[in-house]
């Protein structure tokens, strides 16, 4: 499955994701000379033809790529054609089969609601279009463990697992990929990255805005399904997994799966749900909704490296800042005959993903002129020139076209991450209110009381590089 695709077919190309992300990604691939095949957009717009698709692409790129090159846009437009049809109608796939005549390695990208994944794949299979195809599907992959297992089974009625590319755009972020480099290319970290030296780990994904304009989508989902089961647990896998082997193509994915299997199913008693004041007034939200806009939890990992080390996770809307980071907190040194009589604060390693990617190691040093401690930070910003690094959808679409599976999740990872959070979905605690602009409900502080306090996020120099939109 490593040969380059000879055609890209996008189901749902008339939708919002294409407008915001896909056309921008295709433009950037075209600009880099990495787009080599025609593009067929499939949608249920009877009033659309080829020119409508090209016009929508041009308008989208004008909005999302302010400094776009018209020559690149024209090259991209010549690749695009449109096919109208109902996804439940076999005639749609018959027309698509005619359009694909002579093509050997199609990539089908399903930008459609998850309820239509199986419908489209079965339609492709019935038209004999899947033999050498790759199929890219968007998250969410189910809404709980049972539905994820059912979806995987339905897709595999038609496809081999190796043909299915499940997108989690978070894995295409350059700063997320930096985690594996930071961990495994720096020898000094490996001896201390374990239960002997680490006290606990904190993971935060905070957003300083609410769900205005997305209430109808967000209310059936909530923070747990929206970002923790997928984005945050995938990052946890990179932070906590064992070193990957250099001799296996899927070694990173294998090690993440091994880690997920070692994560104990979450305990509802160690789970806090919050809902910010004013959420129930948002258009599209059920006035009696108990959906969480904030979630905090503790996870435990039953393996030799991490046994006894708690992992505290929090994610939420309308918090004080927008930031995503991992904070590895080391054990405090004993009280010694150096400095004041109090014990020194622990060392920390902070890995910041968003919005300014970087890493910070917090040492302690003597305060000038006093017998006292003060932080002495070693900071590295993962600076990239603007436009130099591939953006998440650009990278993942490019990988799918080349048949590279490393950044895509497989069926076993999906099912394991749902297994971890399923007890929280089955027995959710009541939501606690919190004020917009705060760090969530009071219960979140109680979650880690006696072990730690939530650390304030590391805020690098505001002049540093900013992660591109995703």
């Amino acid at each position: 499955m490593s040969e380059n695709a000879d055609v890209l077919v996008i189901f749902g190309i008339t939708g919002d994701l294409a407008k915001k992300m896909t056309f921008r990604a295709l433009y950037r691939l075209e600009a880099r000379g990495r787009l080599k095949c025609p593009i067929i957009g499939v949608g249920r717009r009877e009033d659309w033809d080829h020119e409508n698709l090209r016009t929508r692409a041009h308008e989208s790129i004008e909005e999302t790529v302010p400094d776009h090159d018209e020559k690149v846009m024209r090259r991209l437009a010549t690749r695009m054609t449109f096919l109208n049809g109902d996804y439940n109608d076999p005639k749609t796939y018959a027309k698509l089969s005619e359009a694909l005549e002579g093509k050997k390695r199609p990539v089908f990208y399903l930008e459609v609601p998850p309820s239509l994944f199986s419908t489209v794949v079965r339609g492709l299979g019935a038209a004999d279009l899947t033999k050498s195809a790759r199929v890219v599907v968007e998250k969410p992959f189910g809404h709980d463990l049972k539905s994820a297992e059912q979806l995987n089974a339905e897709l595999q009625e038609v496809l081999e697992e190796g043909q299915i590319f499940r997108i989690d755009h978070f894995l295409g972020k350059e700063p997320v990929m930096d985690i594996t480099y930071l961990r495994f290319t720096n020898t000094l970290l490996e001896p201390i990255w374990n239960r002997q030296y680490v006290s606990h780990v904190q993971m935060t994904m905070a957003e300083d805005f609410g769900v205005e304009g997305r209430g109808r989508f967000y209310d059936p989902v909530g923070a747990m399904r929206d970002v923790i089961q997928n984005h945050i647990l995938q990052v946890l896998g990179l932070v906590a997994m064992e070193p990957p082997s250099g001799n296996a193509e899927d070694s990173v994915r294998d090690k993440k799966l091994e880690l997920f299997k070692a994560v104990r199913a979450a305990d509802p008693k160690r789970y806090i749900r919050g809902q910010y004041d004013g959420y129930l007034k948002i258009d599209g939200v059920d006035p009696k909704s108990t959906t969480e806009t904030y979630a905090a939890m503790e996870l435990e990992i039953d393996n030799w490296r991490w046994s006894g080390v708690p992992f505290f996770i929090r994610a939420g809307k309308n918090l004080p800042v927008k930031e995503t980071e991992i904070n590895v907190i080391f054990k405090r040194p004993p009280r010694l005959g150096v400095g004041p009589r109090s014990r020194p604060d622990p060392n920390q390693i902070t890995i910041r993903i968003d919005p300014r990617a970087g890493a910070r190691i917090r040492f302690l040093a003597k305060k000038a002129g006093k017998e006292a401690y003060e932080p002495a930070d070693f900071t590295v910003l993962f600076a990239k020139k603007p436009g130099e690094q591939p953006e998440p959808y650009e990278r993942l679409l490019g990988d799918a076209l080349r048949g590279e599976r490393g950044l895509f999740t497989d069926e076993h990872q999906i099912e394991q991450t749902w297994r971890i959070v399923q007890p929280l979905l089955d027995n959710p605690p009541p939501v606690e209110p919190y004020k917009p602009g705060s760090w969530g409900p009071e219960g979140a502080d109680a979650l880690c009381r006696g072990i730690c306090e939530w650390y304030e996020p590391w805020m690098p120099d505001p002049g540093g590089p900013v992660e591109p939109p995703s």
Side-chain angles (χ1 to χ4, degrees):
M1 301 296 292
S2 60
E3 293 183 278
N4 286 335
D6 55 5
V7 62
L8 171 62
V9 181
I10 303 175
F11 285 83
I13 202 165
T14 61
D16 199 45
L17 178 61
K19 182 179 179 181
K20 292 181 177 178
M21 295 292 177
T22 310
F23 291 129
R24 175 185 174 94
L26 293 172
Y27 171 88
R28 288 174 63 88
L29 287 168
E30 183 70 56
R32 294 178 190 271
R34 295 179 179 174
L35 194 58
K36 308 290 186 182
C37 64
I39 300 165
I40 301 174
V42 182
R44 296 184 289 190
R45 292 286 299 268
E46 295 182 3
D47 56 333
W48 271 39
D49 57 18
H50 305 325
E51 286 307 313
N52 291 110
L53 173 59
R54 293 162 186 160
T55 299
R56 168 63 69 87
H58 193 280
E59 292 172 349
S60 170
I61 291 166
E62 282 186 322
E63 292 178 9
T64 59
V65 189
D67 57 347
H68 69 278
D69 185 331
E70 283 293 331
K71 291 181 180 178
V72 175
M73 182 61 243
R74 285 194 292 271
R75 289 204 311 270
L76 177 61
T78 61
R79 299 184 185 276
M80 293 182 171
T81 55
F82 182 74
L83 190 153
N84 171 63
D86 188 306
Y87 305 141
N88 290 289
D89 189 348
K91 294 179 181 177
T92 300
Y93 304 96
K95 289 191 293 183
L96 181 58
S97 181
E98 293 178 8
L100 293 177
E101 186 175 358
K103 302 299 183 185
K104 304 295 185 183
R105 297 177 301 279
V107 167
F108 299 108
Y109 182 15
L110 276 51
E111 293 188 9
V112 297
S115 59
L116 291 173
F117 288 168
S118 299
T119 299
V120 173
V121 168
R122 286 170 178 155
L124 294 170
D128 198 26
L129 295 175
T130 59
K131 182 178 180 181
S132 58
R134 298 190 279 271
V135 177
V136 182
V137 294
E138 278 285 338
K139 81 171 187 73
F141 313 109
H143 58 270
D144 57 15
L145 176 58
K146 183 178 180 180
S147 61
E149 291 174 335
Q150 181 179 346
L151 177 57
N152 283 329
E154 290 172 355
L155 295 180
Q156 290 173 12
E157 290 175 2
V158 180
L159 303 167
E160 299 291 335
E161 172 61 24
Q163 294 179 276
I164 305 170
F165 288 63
R166 300 171 183 83
I167 276 190
D168 182 338
H169 79 270
F170 220 69
L171 294 178
K173 283 176 169 279
E174 194 81 7
V176 173
M177 299 171 69
D178 284 334
I179 293 172
T180 53
Y181 281 76
L182 183 70
R183 277 198 63 194
F184 300 121
T185 63
N186 294 289
T187 307
L188 63 89
L189 292 182
E190 175 58 25
I192 60 172
W193 208 262
N194 55 57
R195 61 188 169 91
Q196 300 297 329
Y197 293 94
V198 175
S199 165
H200 65 279
V201 178
Q202 296 185 14
M203 302 178 66
T204 296
M205 186 174 183
E207 294 174 311
D208 58 359
F209 51 86
V211 300
E212 289 78 7
R214 299 178 68 235
R216 197 173 306 279
F217 160 78
Y218 191 88
D219 198 45
V221 178
M224 177 59 65
R225 290 181 170 96
D226 188 34
V227 297
I228 292 181
Q229 178 272 330
N230 38 70
H231 300 336
I232 292 181
L233 288 187
Q234 287 294 328
V235 172
L236 171 66
L238 297 174
V239 170
M241 71 182 188
E242 294 300 312
S245 165
N247 299 319
E249 181 181 356
D250 286 342
S251 184
V252 170
R253 297 201 310 169
D254 291 343
K255 291 300 180 182
K256 282 201 296 182
L257 177 59
E258 179 183 298
L259 186 281
F260 293 145
K261 289 180 176 179
V263 177
R264 196 179 302 176
D267 182 354
K269 295 178 182 178
R270 306 294 292 160
Y271 176 39
I272 303 297
R273 301 168 71 232
Q275 186 184 93
Y276 66 79
D277 295 339
Y279 173 76
L280 298 180
K281 298 178 180 178
I282 293 173
D283 185 43
V285 171
D286 183 342
K288 297 181 179 180
S289 173
T290 59
T291 296
E292 76 281 355
T293 61
Y294 176 99
M297 59 191 290
E298 178 186 348
L299 289 179
E300 298 180 79
I301 301 175
D302 294 324
N303 66 11
W304 187 262
R305 182 183 293 267
W306 296 115
S307 179
V309 177
F311 284 70
F312 295 104
I313 293 169
R314 61 177 174 174
K317 302 283 188 182
N318 261 341
L319 301 182
V321 296
K322 183 182 185 300
E323 63 94 28
T324 303
E325 71 177 30
I326 305 103
N327 210 349
V328 181
I329 314 298
F330 292 87
K331 294 180 178 180
R332 295 176 68 179
R335 187 189 305 171
L336 298 172
V338 176
R341 295 187 61 82
S342 61
R343 292 177 67 187
D345 289 336
N347 300 121
Q348 304 174 34
I349 295 180
T350 304
I351 304 170
R352 186 178 174 95
I353 295 172
D354 198 31
R356 293 179 174 83
R360 179 192 68 182
I361 302 178
R362 169 151 287 183
F363 298 102
L364 291 181
K366 180 180 180 298
K367 196 169 186 177
K370 296 183 179 181
E371 289 294 320
Y373 312 117
E374 68 175 357
D377 294 347
F378 176 74
T379 299
V380 178
L381 293 180
F382 303 143
K384 309 286 195 304
K385 293 180 181 179
E388 181 182 82
Q389 65 194 63
E391 294 176 359
Y393 274 98
E394 174 192 355
R395 181 188 295 279
L396 293 169
L397 266 180
D399 284 0
L401 291 170
R402 293 189 298 274
E404 297 177 6
R405 294 174 49 81
L407 296 179
F408 295 86
T409 54
D410 65 21
E411 59 171 325
H412 302 298
Q413 287 187 30
I414 297 296
E415 292 174 4
Q416 283 295 322
T417 53
W418 279 119
R419 174 194 64 80
I420 292 166
V421 304
Q422 190 61 49
L424 310 183
L425 304 177
D426 292 339
N427 297 289
V431 290
E432 303 176 22
Y434 67 95
K435 295 185 181 301
S438 71
W439 275 108
E442 293 181 2
D445 293 329
L447 179 68
C448 52
R449 187 171 294 140
I451 301 173
C452 63
E453 296 180 352
W454 292 106
Y455 282 88
E456 288 294 312
W458 167 42
M459 304 297 289
D461 179 356
V466 177
E467 172 73 0
S470 59

